Amino acid sequence: MDAGYVITLDKQFVIQVCIQLINTGILCFALSKILYVPVLEYLKGRSERVASRLKNADDMLKEAERLKSEYKEKLDNIDAERNQILEAARSSANKNSKQIISDARKEAVLIKNRAEKEIKNERAKVKDDIKQQIIEVSAEMSRRFVASSITADEQEKLFEDTVKELEELEWTS
């Protein structure tokens, strides 16, 4: 061995390099069969899981958007339905109000008619009372006339007083 060379290309060195290359090749082949294929399968599975999760997330996002638009549409429909219900309630309230007013007017007419009938009945009753009083006054006058003999002047005066009383009674009724 020469002292100036660090690496010599002798037979022993070449055999060792060849053995190491063969060992490295066998090691690479064994590692690729033992580790590389499972690692690739794991990475492929992981990629598929990530892709599946992304697809699921995308599907969920689309579903959420669909539900959001569906709920927004339902809210808009609820607003429209609420407005219809309120309008129907207003219409019903107006109709009921008109019906109540109409019933109240009819009731007022009935009360007025009843009051007018009562007034007519009272007038008739008062007229009957006045007639009764006239009869009583006439009877009393006749009794007095018969009871005392009166002169023609007194009889005339009594007659005029009675007529005057009757006229006053007729005018007040």
Side-chain angles (χ1 to χ4, degrees):
M1 284 205 160
D2 278 328
Y5 295 102
V6 176
I7 299 180
T8 59
L9 289 174
D10 57 352
K11 191 176 173 184
Q12 179 78 25
F13 178 72
V14 172
I15 291 173
Q16 282 180 345
V17 168
C18 284
I19 290 175
Q20 281 185 354
L21 284 175
I22 291 172
N23 282 337
T24 304
I26 291 172
L27 184 63
C28 284
F29 179 75
L31 286 177
S32 73
K33 292 293 182 190
I34 294 172
L35 293 177
Y36 186 68
V37 172
V39 168
L40 280 180
E41 288 176 4
Y42 173 76
L43 290 176
K44 183 179 177 185
R46 185 170 179 209
S47 294
E48 288 173 357
R49 283 192 308 269
V50 167
S52 172
R53 286 182 182 167
L54 286 174
K55 186 178 183 301
N56 285 342
D58 191 40
D59 290 345
M60 287 180 166
L61 183 62
K62 287 178 183 176
E63 180 67 15
E65 288 294 326
R66 184 187 66 80
L67 287 174
K68 179 183 174 186
S69 66
E70 185 178 314
Y71 288 141
K72 185 175 186 239
E73 183 179 323
K74 284 182 180 181
L75 284 174
D76 291 342
N77 289 341
I78 287 172
D79 286 341
E81 187 177 339
R82 179 195 59 165
N83 289 337
Q84 287 175 346
I85 289 171
L86 287 175
E87 189 60 36
R90 284 185 192 117
S91 173
S92 176
N94 285 339
K95 187 189 296 181
N96 288 341
S97 170
K98 289 177 182 177
Q99 182 64 36
I100 289 170
I101 290 171
S102 172
D103 291 346
R105 286 186 178 149
K106 288 177 184 176
E107 186 68 25
V109 167
L110 289 174
I111 291 171
K112 179 183 170 190
N113 290 341
R114 208 175 306 134
E116 286 175 355
K117 285 180 184 178
E118 287 178 9
I119 290 171
K120 285 180 184 178
N121 290 339
E122 282 295 318
R123 280 188 181 165
K125 185 178 176 184
V126 167
K127 283 182 182 180
D128 288 342
D129 288 344
I130 290 174
K131 285 179 184 177
Q132 187 65 31
Q133 287 177 358
I134 290 172
I135 291 171
E136 288 175 6
V137 167
S138 297
E140 180 65 25
M141 196 168 102
S142 298
R143 187 185 62 80
R144 286 184 187 172
F145 183 71
V146 170
S148 67
S149 68
I150 54 176
T151 64
D153 290 334
E154 289 177 351
Q155 184 179 3
E156 187 65 32
K157 185 179 179 211
L158 184 60
F159 179 75
E160 286 177 12
D161 288 345
T162 304
V163 169
K164 202 183 276 185
E165 284 180 25
L166 290 176
E167 286 176 353
E168 287 176 10
L169 286 176
E170 280 186 26
W171 286 108
T172 58
S173 65

